[in-house]
Each structure stands twice: as structure tokens, then as C-alpha cells.
Amino acid sequence: MRVPEHRLRRLATALLDQRGAPAAAAWLQADLLIEAELRGLPSHGLMRLPRLLARIDAGLADPAAKGRHRWRSAGVLQVDGQRALGPVALMAALEALTTRLGTTGIAMAALRDTNHLGMLAYYVEEAAARGMIGIVLSTSEALVHPQGGTQALLGTNPVAIGIPTGAAPFVLDLATSQVPMGRIHAHALRGEPIPEGWAVDAAGQPTQDAEAAKSGALAPFGGAKGYGLGLAFELIVALLAGSELAPQVRGTLDASHPATKGDLLILIDPGAVSGVIGGAARLTAYLDLLRASRPACPDTPVAIPGDGARRRKAAAQRDGIDIPEPLLDELRGLCSRGLSPRKTNGGEEEWSISARSGRRER
Amino acid sequence: MRVPEHRLRRLATALLDQRGAPAAAAWLQADLLIEAELRGLPSHGLMRLPRLLARIDAGLADPAAKGRHRWRSAGVLQVDGQRALGPVALMAALEALTTRLGTTGIAMAALRDTNHLGMLAYYVEEAAARGMIGIVLSTSEALVHPQGGTQALLGTNPVAIGIPTGAAPFVLDLATSQVPMGRIHAHALRGEPIPEGWAVDAAGQPTQDAEAAKSGALAPFGGAKGYGLGLAFELIVALLAGSELAPQVRGTLDASHPATKGDLLILIDPGAVSGVIGGAARLTAYLDLLRASRPACPDTPVAIPGDGARRRKAAAQRDGIDIPEPLLDELRGLCSRGLSPRKTNGGEEEWSISARSGRRER
């Protein structure tokens, strides 16, 4: 069903608020989840919220924590995450690094003991919107097999890159696996086979059976090259953040372990180097040249990373976010269950959510 | 034919020496080319030397230049390359950044107006051997089509990453194209077809005709993800180095234009962050776990990027470098042609080269 963005935002914020999240933290975490929904990335949207709330309830996520900062050198910030919400810790690190860029031109934060960052595009787009190049790396549980291997020993190790261009920022966000594990689960749920080359089963045999793939391993994207990049990211993050390597990572997919993955944020001030007038505008002209270039399929223009997300977001802001009714029911149920009600600013929309939530509670 | 490493090294050094390269610059440029040969990457080896010498003769490469350094901030070095040899400018930048790492923990150099860097693995391995994480990006002429596109508008935009691990450094070096253009040329030379998915022809049609692919465009590696990464690297380098975007890049494949691509070097001091005892040793154990994991083909163990290069280098150091006789003839011819002889240290090997060169001159 389609639900207006603002209603889902209020619902998510209220759920976090009920669990003691400071207003700014609740707003930020909810905003991240809603942004993922708006951009058509439901795997990183509200379906993550029940588990996150369970992690707060279990003491595995502390919505009031921001991470303890320690500058190891002028440009390098070490963040002991203190079980903070991922976006809270990451944005606090981003703010801290920003203060150093005027001096160092490039700065990096390495984070451990924070919860799931969610959609990485969120952070690098924010960096680019502020005129900086932003790069985020993050690690995960072991889900990906090495090229030429068959066992899940690497994380999905995503990377996101944001670049100011003069027009809308360039935003790239990708996992180094061929597909996300969520896509395998979605196929299994629908009883559909998966395409060749996506995964192997638990015995290491290539499989098109989504159910069998769930207990197997995902292929790295792009063969040996994608494997090499994912592995390099795995090593860099673990080395710099002091976080676990994939086989020992827990806590981004469960509600029973502390999060032991690591995250890295690098910011670069482009003004610090180029000194080229109109440098960013030049990038825009180049990207437009790519968009206007001869496509492989006549009716499918060449796209720039981020174009599709912007289009989907505009549509979802107009037509509402398409959210599965069971998930909405679950969230509404969580909203009125168990916890003592907290004072809110009231207003028709919140009342409306509470009323529905009451009706639908199971 | 197989030629001992030291002979080829002397020959390459002598050729550069004859053109006025200072001893250190000649040694470094020759060492880079020989290393590429040793590691089984002849496309970045001695076959590049005749064009480089022609560039020196034409004033497009200045073997005495090292690049003019300007610190734009504490951690960011801008290098005006002054037509320096690529390895000379890059290693000078690496040395300069190294002096800042103790203060900043992370530092970056952006270079323009330098000649071809050659095999990027060379630099990041050196960084890792000195205990630093090294990342190099470089741009190139437009040879790659965007995903969903058909025209050569992107560079091959390689990336290299070196990471200290406790044992041999982890070294990754890859282009963001599916294959290098050199591989297409090699197939065309042998009259062999190329596999599906490597390239399109000038009309934008997928082709398996290597000759037709030469005037077409290479596919990005890994579909949309590899395209996105290559594009991100293209934008970052151009923005930070103030160098040209791919359609305007010249001078790495010809002997008639100044080199207008850009290069980026990022160094990170791992000790600045982790504070984890045995951090690097932990990486070695993890890489060994990958190597020992269950392979897809029983007789092909899982490899770590850099393993193959190390094996090939050991074999070439033992058995000699396999070099095509026409190339060797060409180099020997260049050695005795046109230029006034310069005083050398003498020695049997050089005499031997000169003698052969004289015999074979065309």
C-alpha cells in the first residue's frame, strides 16, 4: 500500500522516541530509513526498524550514544562507537572531520562498535552537498565467496562515493557482491529461481535455487576485480578501525550480538587542490555528455549513478511510499506495545497513526 | 626469447641515460618497466620504452623534472608535473607525503602534467613495504563506454591499493575496463576473435572481431558497478588534479601530445588509527584462511591479488624475462642510433649489448 512519506517518518520517529532516543537521533535514524524507502531501496528501509528496536531493547544499540572521539593525528579520527546508532555515530564523525578539512584538506574517521550504517549514499550525498568529496566503506558478516572459491568468507563490503559536480551531487553506492543477500531472500520468498552466477549453495556448487543459496555464498561482483576490491576494503577497514574481519563479524543482521563490523569515512576538500575555476561545473557538462551519448538500447538513455534514485524519490514523494501492509502492521503494533506512552507534540497525523495502530494491533 | 633481468635493466637504463636522464631517474623508470616484465605484465613493460624515448626526444617528457610541489594544506600536495617521467614525479610525491604522515595520519597528492605512471602496483607495493596503506588512481584516454552506452567516453581509470599485512604486502592493481586495450590489439595481431562482452565496434554494436573493436570501445568491468567506480575515479582525479576528463586526455598512448591525464596518490598510516597489537599479522592469517578455503576447481587454490605476480616474478628472475625478439632489436637499435655516445661505467654486459646492437641495427 502507498503511504505518504510524512506519516511513515512520524511513525519511525515515534518508535525511536519511545525507546529513549534523543529527538535529533530519532529524527536522523528515521530520516535515513525513509530516504532508503524513497529511493527504492526497501532492503535498507523500514524493514530494518523492528530489528533495530529489538537491538535497543536488548542493550545492543544505545540511541543516546554518539561515539567517543579521539584524534590520533591532525587528520585521523578514531571513533569508539559505544553501540551508537550507525547514522548518529557517522554524522557526528562527519561533523568532526569537517572542522579539520580547512587545515588538513583530507581527513578520515575510522569507527568501530557502531550499529548498521544503512544506506551509505545518505552520507556521501550529504558530504557532496556541503562541497566535499565523501567516501564511505563499511564491512559486514561473511556472505561472499572469494573468486575461485566457494565459501562465504568476505563481507558484502560496500563503498559509497559522493562528489560535488555543480548540479546534483554524483552519488555512487554499491556492495561488492554480485547482488545483496536480501535479493536472494526475496526470490526465495516468491519461490522463484535466481539467475546463474549469483550464488553457490552450502556445498559450494553453483545454484539457481534461491532457498539453497541462502545457506551458501554470494558471488563477488565483476569476477576477480570485484573480489579484489571487496577484499581490499575488508582489509583496510579492519586494519584502520580495529574491527573484526568478516568471519567474526556479528550484529548487523541479528538482534543478539554487539555489532563488530567497522566503518570508514574519508572527506576531501576539492577546493584544497584544484584551484580550477568552474571545476565542478566541468564535471556536470561531462556527465551530461555521457547522458546524451548513443545508448545501447535506443529507448534507454545512458544513466549516471544516482539518476534512478532521484527519479524514484520524486515519484515516491508525489505518490507515497509503497510499503508492504504486514510491515506497516508490525511497526504500528510495536508503536503501542509494551512501552509507556511518551509525550509528543500531538497533531492530527500522529493521532491518526495511533488510532490505526490501535485498530490493527495483534 | 629469454633474457636475464639485469641485461634488460642495463639496456633500458642506458637508453634513458643517453637522453639525458639523471642516473636516479633512469634507474627508476627502468626499474618500473622491468618490474612489469618480471610480473608478467608486458603491456606495461619494455614495449612502452620506445614511445617514451620518442616523447623525450620530442620534448614531451623531461627526464630531469620531478614536478613542482605546492602544499595546499597540511595533508594535500598539489604537483605540477612539469612533463616529468611518471615514476619520477610519483615517487617524489610519495616521499613528500611520507614526511607529513606523522602529523596528519593521512595525506594526498594530486598530479597533473606528468607522463604515464605505468604499472600502478609498483607504487602501492612500495608504500605498503614502508608500512603505509597506499592508493593510486590514474586516468587515461577515452577507451571505455558507459554501461548502457556504446561510445568510448571514459578512461580505463585504474586503481591500485597496497596494504601492509605482516607478510608480503597485499597488492591490488586493476583497470576499470573489462580488459585492457592492449589485449584487444594482441588478439587482432594474432587474427583471433575476442570473447563476447569485451567490446563494441565503432558503430556501437557488440563485436567479437578484434580488429573492429580497436576503433570501438571497451566494456567496463562488472557491468553497472564497475562503470560507476570507473566514472567516480574519473571525476575525482579530474576534480582534484585539475587534469582533463577522458575525451580530452592525450599523451599516454602517443608521442605527439603533452600528457593531460591526472594521477592521485593517497597514503594512510595504519598505526595512526588502529592501536591494535598484531593488526597486520591478523590480516595475514585471514588471507591464509582464504587461500586454504575450498576452491571451485579442486586443483586451483583460491588466490589473493598479487600472488600470481609474485610467482611469475620468481620464475622470471630464475629463467629470464621472455621478450619478443623484434622488441629487443628495436631497443638495441635505439641504443646506438643518432645520439652521441655518453660515458658509462663500462662493463662486459654493456659492451655486450652495444656489440649486439651494432650488429642488429637496421
Side-chain angles (χ1 to χ4, degrees), chain A residues 24-356:
Chain A
W27 181 88
L28 179 60
Q29 179 70 61
D31 192 53
L32 174 80
L33 298 172
I34 296 296
E35 273 295 318
E37 294 287 351
L38 288 171
R39 295 175 190 203
L41 197 70
S43 62
H44 287 61
L46 292 169
M47 65 173 279
R48 296 265 177 177
L49 188 51
R51 198 181 303 132
L52 185 60
L53 299 174
R55 290 183 66 80
I56 296 175
D57 291 343
L60 297 166
D62 177 359
K66 292 182 167 189
R68 191 164 39 218
H69 287 191
R70 181 177 166 199
W71 288 95
R72 302 294 305 237
S73 55
V76 176
L77 178 67
Q78 184 162 358
V79 180
D80 169 7
Q82 304 178 301
R83 302 193 172 187
L85 298 176
V88 172
L90 204 285
M91 288 305 295
L94 190 146
E95 296 291 350
L97 291 191
T98 304
T99 65
R100 293 292 172 107
L101 275 197
T103 313
T104 60
I106 182 170
M108 180 185 82
L111 301 84
R112 62 180 157 198
D113 197 20
T114 75
N115 280 274
H116 194 237
L117 290 187
M119 180 181 67
L120 301 187
Y122 187 86
Y123 311 105
V124 299
E125 179 159 335
E126 176 64 24
R130 298 189 195 184
M132 302 174 285
I133 294 174
I135 302 171
V136 175
L137 301 177
S138 191
T139 56
S140 83
E141 280 82 353
L143 291 169
V144 179
H145 65 73
Q147 179 72 2
T150 60
Q151 293 172 285
L153 291 168
L154 293 153
T156 53
N157 302 347
V159 56
I161 302 177
I163 307 171
T165 68
F170 173 90
V171 177
L172 178 74
D173 180 358
L174 59 91
T176 54
S177 54
Q178 178 79 27
V179 292
M181 186 49 99
R183 188 102 58 105
I184 305 282
H185 282 261
H187 275 70
L189 210 62
R190 294 193 302 267
E192 288 173 9
I194 55 172
E196 215 175 322
W198 278 16
V200 299
D201 63 21
Q205 295 301 312
T207 186
Q208 296 191 247
D209 177 348
E211 200 57 50
K214 280 164 63 176
S215 53
L218 302 170
F221 94 97
K225 293 188 178 191
Y227 156 58
L229 283 170
L231 179 53
F233 298 159
E234 176 95 45
L235 299 174
I236 289 177
V237 172
L239 183 59
L240 293 179
S243 54
E244 295 287 4
L245 290 153
Q248 277 76 47
V249 169
R250 303 286 181 276
T252 74
L253 301 168
D254 62 67
S256 47
H257 294 89
T260 55
K261 50 84 188 174
D263 311 300
L264 215 64
L265 168 67
I266 298 175
L267 294 182
I268 304 173
D269 176 8
V273 178
S274 70
V276 175
I277 306 295
R282 187 168 60 116
L283 302 193
T284 303
Y286 173 61
L287 295 177
D288 285 342
L289 175 74
L290 292 182
R291 289 188 181 98
S293 73
R294 190 179 55 201
C297 307
D299 50 355
T300 309
V302 170
I304 301 299
D307 283 356
R310 263 189 297 276
R311 215 169 31 239
R312 288 189 295 274
K313 180 174 175 176
Q317 287 185 316
R318 189 186 58 227
D319 307 330
I321 291 170
D322 193 8
I323 187 166
E325 211 157 334
L327 174 57
L328 195 57
D329 288 347
E330 182 182 3
L331 293 173
R332 285 170 174 159
L334 285 168
C335 200
S336 53
R337 193 177 65 207
L339 292 151
S340 56
R342 292 167 62 92
K343 202 144 97 174
T344 70
N345 291 330
E348 188 253 50
E349 282 137 15
E350 247 147 59
W351 177 85
S352 148
I353 287 169
S354 306
R356 288 191 194 181

Side-chain angles (χ1 to χ4, degrees), chain B residues 75-167:
Chain B
V76 176
L77 178 68
Q78 185 162 358
V79 180
D80 169 7
Q82 304 178 303
R83 302 192 172 188
L85 298 176
V88 173
L90 205 284
M91 288 304 295
L94 189 146
E95 296 292 350
L97 292 191
T98 303
T99 65
R100 293 292 171 107
L101 276 197
T103 313
T104 61
I106 181 170
M108 179 184 82
L111 301 84
R112 62 181 158 198
D113 197 20
T114 75
N115 280 274
H116 195 236
L117 290 188
M119 180 180 66
L120 301 187
Y122 187 86
Y123 311 106
V124 299
E125 180 160 334
E126 177 63 25
R130 298 190 195 184
M132 303 174 285
I133 293 174
I135 301 171
V136 175
L137 300 177
S138 191
T139 56
S140 83
E141 280 82 353
L143 291 169
V144 179
H145 66 72
Q147 179 71 2
T150 60
Q151 294 172 285
L153 291 168
L154 293 153
T156 54
N157 302 347
V159 55
I161 302 176
I163 307 171
T165 69

Side-chain angles (χ1 to χ4, degrees), chain B residues 3-356:
Chain B
V3 181
E5 169 191 350
H6 66 269
R7 292 218 175 152
L8 294 176
R9 193 182 293 274
R10 293 254 181 147
L11 174 56
T13 308
L15 282 163
L16 288 154
D17 179 63
Q18 281 181 341
R19 276 154 189 87
W27 181 89
L28 179 60
Q29 179 70 61
D31 191 53
L32 174 79
L33 298 172
I34 297 296
E35 272 295 318
E37 294 286 350
L38 289 170
R39 296 176 190 203
L41 196 71
S43 61
H44 287 60
L46 292 168
M47 66 172 280
R48 296 264 177 178
L49 188 51
R51 197 179 304 132
L52 184 60
L53 299 174
R55 290 184 65 82
I56 296 175
D57 292 344
L60 296 166
D62 177 359
K66 292 182 166 187
R68 191 165 39 218
H69 287 190
R70 182 179 167 198
W71 288 95
R72 301 294 304 237
S73 54
V76 176
L77 178 68
Q78 185 162 358
V79 180
D80 169 7
Q82 304 178 303
R83 302 192 172 188
L85 298 176
V88 173
L90 205 284
M91 288 304 295
L94 189 146
E95 296 292 350
L97 292 191
T98 303
T99 65
R100 293 292 171 107
L101 276 197
T103 313
T104 61
I106 181 170
M108 179 184 82
L111 301 84
R112 62 181 158 198
D113 197 20
T114 75
N115 280 274
H116 195 236
L117 290 188
M119 180 180 66
L120 301 187
Y122 187 86
Y123 311 106
V124 299
E125 180 160 334
E126 177 63 25
R130 298 190 195 184
M132 303 174 285
I133 293 174
I135 301 171
V136 175
L137 300 177
S138 191
T139 56
S140 83
E141 280 82 353
L143 291 169
V144 179
H145 66 72
Q147 179 71 2
T150 60
Q151 294 172 285
L153 291 168
L154 293 153
T156 54
N157 302 347
V159 55
I161 302 176
I163 307 171
T165 69
F170 172 91
V171 178
L172 178 75
D173 180 358
L174 59 91
T176 53
S177 53
Q178 179 78 28
V179 292
M181 186 49 99
R183 188 103 58 103
I184 304 283
H185 282 261
H187 276 71
L189 210 63
R190 294 195 302 269
E192 287 173 9
I194 55 172
E196 214 175 323
W198 278 17
V200 299
D201 62 21
Q205 296 300 313
T207 185
Q208 296 192 248
D209 176 348
E211 200 58 50
K214 280 165 63 177
S215 53
L218 301 170
F221 95 98
K225 293 188 179 192
Y227 156 58
L229 282 170
L231 179 54
F233 298 159
E234 176 94 45
L235 299 175
I236 289 177
V237 173
L239 183 60
L240 294 180
S243 54
E244 295 287 3
L245 290 152
Q248 277 77 46
V249 169
R250 303 285 180 277
T252 74
L253 301 167
D254 61 66
S256 46
H257 294 90
T260 56
K261 51 84 188 172
D263 311 300
L264 215 64
L265 168 67
I266 297 175
L267 294 182
I268 304 172
D269 175 8
V273 178
S274 71
V276 174
I277 305 296
R282 187 168 60 115
L283 302 193
T284 303
Y286 173 61
L287 295 176
D288 285 342
L289 175 75
L290 291 182
R291 288 187 181 97
S293 73
R294 189 179 55 200
C297 306
D299 50 356
T300 311
V302 170
I304 302 299
D307 282 356
R310 263 189 297 275
R311 212 167 36 238
R312 288 189 295 273
K313 179 174 175 176
Q317 287 185 316
R318 188 186 60 227
D319 306 331
I321 291 170
D322 193 7
I323 186 166
E325 211 157 334
L327 174 58
L328 195 58
D329 288 348
E330 182 183 3
L331 293 173
R332 285 169 173 159
L334 286 167
C335 201
S336 53
R337 192 178 68 206
L339 292 151
S340 55
R342 292 166 62 93
K343 201 143 100 171
T344 70
N345 291 330
E348 187 252 46
E349 281 137 16
E350 248 147 59
W351 176 86
S352 149
I353 286 169
S354 305
R356 290 191 194 180

